[in-house]
């Protein structure tokens, strides 16, 4: 079975000793909890590290509007942008600032390398899937078990797994 947000959350629920879900839209508290928590948890995890499966490169064209001063051009960040990794080509210094959802600079085209919101979990590395499952288990632990000790234990497991995964994915 292909990895998906639902399979990740189902596995997290199983790790907590609960029943799995088949869909985020099923009429259960578990499905509602998972569907509400998953998008933000996913974006935070993806943003926290330059996971190889969540890096994208684009060349942006400038917006029609220009900054009021200091820079000649402004560029809208892509809709799936989570974090800028670099602007310009490798070892090329580009003077830029990020303000809101815009990048301002003096170049007329902007080469952007960034972390994107990869919502296709089937393209994720197996370690990232494992980490996301642990994130969801830790995030849902108290709501599912009503035990603070279980929540703390799940976050401790997550912390250890994150260190290993980041080292491997570096």
């Amino acid at each position: 079975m292909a990895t998906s947000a639902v399979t990740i959350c189902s596995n997290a629920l199983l790790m907590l000793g609960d029943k799995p879900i088949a869909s985020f839209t099923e009429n259960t508290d578990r499905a509602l909890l998972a569907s509400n928590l998953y998008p933000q948890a996913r974006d935070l995890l993806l943003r926290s590290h330059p996971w190889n499966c969540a890096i994208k490169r684009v060349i942006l064209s400038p917006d029609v509007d220009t900054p009021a001063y200091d820079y000649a051009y402004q560029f809208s960040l892509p809709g799936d942008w989570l974090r800028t990794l670099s602007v310009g080509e490798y070892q090329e210094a580009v003077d830029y600032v990020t303000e809101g959802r815009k990048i301002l600079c003096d170049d007329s085209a902007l080469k952007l390398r960034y972390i994107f919101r990869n919502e296709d979990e089937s393209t994720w590395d197996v370690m990232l899937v494992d980490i996301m499952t642990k994130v969801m288990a830790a995030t849902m632990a108290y709501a599912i078990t009503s035990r603070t000790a279980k929540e703390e234990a799940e976050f401790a497991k997550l912390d250890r797994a994150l260190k290993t995964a980041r080292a491997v994915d570096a």
Side-chain angles (χ1 to χ4, degrees):
M1 180 148 107
T3 302
S4 69
V6 171
T7 59
I8 288 170
C9 292
S10 286
N11 289 338
L13 288 164
L14 288 169
M15 289 169 59
L16 297 171
D18 204 351
K19 296 176 186 169
I21 58 172
S23 165
F24 282 146
T25 59
E26 69 184 48
N27 191 21
T28 64
D29 290 341
R30 295 180 319 283
L32 180 62
L33 179 68
S35 68
N36 283 335
L37 295 176
Y38 185 83
Q40 182 177 357
R42 177 204 56 225
D43 290 357
L44 286 169
L45 178 61
L46 290 175
R47 193 176 198 282
S48 74
H49 176 77
W51 306 101
N52 290 322
C53 60
I55 295 175
K56 193 183 278 189
R57 293 170 189 251
V58 294
I59 299 175
L60 301 176
S61 297
D63 295 348
V64 173
D65 295 334
T66 59
Y69 58 91
D70 286 340
Y71 293 95
Y73 302 100
Q74 71 179 15
F75 303 82
S76 295
L77 290 166
D80 62 356
W81 174 92
L82 292 175
R83 179 177 144 203
T84 298
L85 296 175
S86 63
V87 173
E89 292 188 29
Y90 182 69
Q91 295 185 342
E92 172 191 359
V94 174
D95 179 32
Y96 76 96
V97 296
T98 303
E99 295 178 354
R101 302 261 324 152
K102 306 281 185 185
I103 293 180
L104 284 58
C105 79
D106 288 326
D107 293 358
S108 61
L110 188 78
K111 295 175 180 170
L112 176 68
R113 185 171 165 263
Y114 69 103
I115 297 174
F116 75 100
R117 180 179 299 106
N118 185 345
E119 296 175 311
D120 183 359
E121 290 83 358
S122 69
T123 66
W124 289 10
D125 179 88
V126 68
M127 289 191 90
L128 181 56
V129 171
D130 179 64
I131 294 298
M132 189 65 213
T133 304
K134 286 176 173 56
V135 165
M136 289 309 297
T139 302
M140 296 188 296
Y142 186 78
I144 296 297
T145 67
S146 299
R147 293 178 30 222
T148 304
K150 181 65 172 168
E151 179 185 39
E152 290 170 356
E154 293 300 324
F155 274 108
K157 283 186 216 174
L158 171 60
D159 188 48
R160 289 188 302 272
L162 267 171
K163 288 176 185 166
T164 301
R166 286 178 174 154
V168 169
D169 192 67

